[in-house]
């Protein structure tokens, strides 16, 4: 693929080291963890619907994508169709990790193996040669919208038994047979402002949670992040009041945290532990998604 941009190695990962840092932007840009996405070395998959009492398995990210590709599309499809599908599969998975979609809901996995929620993953299945070869070549290349950082949520469906607003997998076969390459296929469904980006940021999955609970007397960027998030949330819950955004966990911040915890059925101790951290993040992010829907940023539907 010729139209692929390269993202320089993030400074946190030079020298082969990995490190978790606090998010540098609010959920508006979905950049909760790093200024650039990370291609994970491994991914933990829940083998069913999110709330189902089933096994979690941790596999290499490459093996995960190879499995999904082998489970969702046919190896006899044109090469460019397979590439378009694998790019979309990679980007959706990276988006789930980057936005901490399931972690913010209290789950310990990054994605499910249920196509009704995420992607089809069949643990232990055979892998088709074209899927293995293409994945090894492009596993660190994802889609994003021009001018953004976050991996694009490349919604897709088979286009026959299920319809959706995103890519139709059977439609990619038709478009490839018409002579379109993978990027042209992706842009047909997701818009001309979609681009493919290659990164060498390959590491363990970082976490936005600072590692220890935040409480009265603490200070720093992690405190400032929750202060900003709580103030945005308070627009919908004005009885929370507002807190300073100075990065100092004072009485005002503790009071707002307690009101938030009580509202969302958490222990109202005023301490931002892991559960409260991710609940704040989840509520803040949902508020932003609601804003996008109100102001007409929904994705348009294309069919083939």
């Amino acid at each position: 693929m010729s139209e692929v941009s390269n993202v320089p190695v993030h400074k946190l990962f030079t020298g082969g080291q990995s490190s978790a840092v606090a998010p540098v932007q609010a959920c508006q840009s979905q950049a909760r963890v790093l200024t650039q996405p990370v291609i994970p070395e491994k991914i933990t998959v829940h083998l069913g619907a999110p709330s189902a009492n089933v096994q979690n398995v941790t596999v290499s990210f490459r093996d995960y994508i190879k499995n999904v590709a082998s489970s969702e599309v046919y190896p006899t499809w044109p090469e460019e169709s397979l590439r378009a599908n694998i790019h979309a599969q990679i980007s959706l998975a990276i988006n789930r990790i980057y936005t901490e979609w399931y972690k913010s809901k209290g789950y310990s996995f990054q994605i499910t193996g249920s196509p009704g929620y995420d992607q089809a993953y069949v643990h232990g299945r055979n892998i088709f040669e074209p899927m293995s070869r293409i994945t090894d070549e492009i596993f660190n290349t994802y889609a994003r919208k021009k001018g953004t950082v976050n991996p694009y949520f490349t919604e897709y469906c088979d286009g026959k038994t299920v319809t959706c607003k995103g890519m139709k997998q059977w439609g990619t076969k038709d478009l490839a047979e018409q002579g379109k390459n993978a990027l042209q296929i992706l842009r047909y469904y997701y818009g001309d402002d979609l681009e493919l980006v290659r990164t060498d940021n390959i590491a363990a999955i970082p976490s936005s949670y600072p590692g220890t609970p935040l409480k009265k007397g603490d200070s720093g960027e992690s405190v400032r992040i929750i202060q900003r998030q709580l103030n945005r949330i308070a627009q919908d819950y004005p009885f929370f009041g507002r807190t300073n955004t100075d990065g100092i966990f004072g009485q005002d911040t503790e009071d707002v945290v307690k009101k938030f915890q009580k509202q969302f059925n958490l222990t109202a101790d005023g301490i931002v532990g892991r559960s409260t951290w991710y609940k704040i993040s989840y509520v803040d992010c949902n508020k932003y998604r609601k804003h996008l829907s109100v102001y007409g940023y929904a994705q348009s539907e294309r069919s083939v």
Side-chain angles (χ1 to χ4, degrees):
M1 180 70 60
S2 59
E3 297 182 71
V4 178
S5 303
N6 285 291
V7 175
V9 177
H10 192 282
K11 63 183 179 180
L12 286 172
F13 299 102
T14 55
Q17 299 297 313
S18 62
S19 176
V21 298
V24 294
Q25 300 179 46
C27 184
Q28 275 83 334
S29 65
Q30 296 186 19
R32 295 188 185 177
V33 181
L34 297 173
T35 54
Q36 298 292 348
V38 169
I39 304 298
E41 295 169 345
K42 296 182 179 181
I43 186 171
T44 299
V45 188
H46 186 67
L47 300 180
S51 60
N53 184 21
V54 295
Q55 181 184 8
N56 289 346
V57 295
T58 300
V59 297
S60 77
F61 185 69
R62 289 198 203 194
D63 288 344
Y64 170 77
I65 294 298
K66 292 175 184 179
N67 186 301
V68 170
S70 297
S71 300
E72 291 187 343
V73 293
Y74 292 91
T76 55
W77 285 6
E79 176 90 1
E80 293 302 313
S81 170
L82 296 180
R83 287 179 176 271
N85 276 277
I86 293 173
H87 278 308
Q89 290 157 349
I90 291 169
S91 297
L92 189 150
I94 296 299
N95 178 278
R96 281 289 196 241
I97 293 168
Y98 191 62
T99 59
E100 297 184 305
W101 177 253
Y102 285 109
K103 187 174 288 187
S104 71
K105 297 181 178 184
Y107 295 112
S108 60
F109 50 86
Q110 283 86 45
I111 202 163
T112 73
S114 172
Y117 292 89
D118 297 302
Q119 299 171 311
Y121 175 86
V122 182
H123 192 55
R125 67 153 296 143
N126 62 306
I127 304 300
F128 298 124
E129 186 281 330
M131 283 60 169
S132 180
R133 171 177 52 80
I134 295 172
T135 299
D136 283 338
E137 180 184 339
I138 67 172
F139 77 98
N140 61 337
T141 304
Y142 60 92
R144 72 180 183 191
K145 290 288 187 172
K146 292 179 180 179
T148 68
V149 173
N150 55 287
Y152 189 65
F153 185 75
T154 43
E155 178 185 3
Y156 61 82
C157 56
D158 69 6
K160 283 193 172 182
T161 61
V162 178
T163 59
C164 61
K165 293 181 179 179
M167 186 180 74
K168 281 70 172 174
Q169 291 175 310
W170 276 98
T172 67
K173 176 179 180 292
D174 296 335
L175 292 171
E177 289 173 346
Q178 294 170 21
K180 294 186 182 296
N181 64 31
L183 182 57
Q184 290 171 331
I185 292 171
L186 292 169
R187 285 178 172 171
Y188 177 86
Y189 289 109
Y190 302 119
D192 291 338
D193 57 344
L194 193 82
E195 62 182 358
L196 294 175
V197 181
R198 181 184 296 114
T199 179
D200 291 325
N201 296 339
I202 303 168
I205 297 174
S207 172
S208 67
Y209 179 61
T212 57
L214 301 175
K215 59 186 183 302
K216 187 176 178 181
D218 289 340
S219 61
E221 185 60 24
S222 294
V223 174
R224 184 177 287 106
I225 287 165
I226 63 162
Q227 289 173 330
R228 290 171 177 167
Q229 290 176 319
L230 287 168
N231 281 346
R232 284 193 294 268
I233 294 169
Q235 295 172 15
D236 291 337
Y237 299 89
F239 63 90
F240 283 4
R242 294 181 64 83
T243 176
N244 291 324
T245 55
D246 54 6
I248 299 173
F249 202 125
Q251 187 63 52
D252 58 332
T253 302
E254 183 181 70
D255 290 343
V256 175
V257 169
K258 285 181 177 179
K259 291 175 183 177
F260 174 89
Q261 290 170 325
K262 184 176 181 180
Q263 176 67 28
F264 291 99
N265 301 313
L266 300 167
T267 301
D269 56 8
I271 298 172
V272 181
R274 185 180 298 273
S275 296
T276 298
W277 174 277
Y278 285 116
K279 190 66 174 181
I280 291 172
S281 181
Y282 176 68
V283 174
D284 181 40
C285 211
N286 273 354
K287 174 180 173 61
Y288 179 62
R289 290 190 181 97
K290 180 179 178 182
H291 170 84
L292 288 183
S293 177
V294 168
Y295 286 93
Y297 288 91
Q299 182 178 309
S300 60
E301 182 169 352
R302 297 292 296 271
S303 61
V304 168

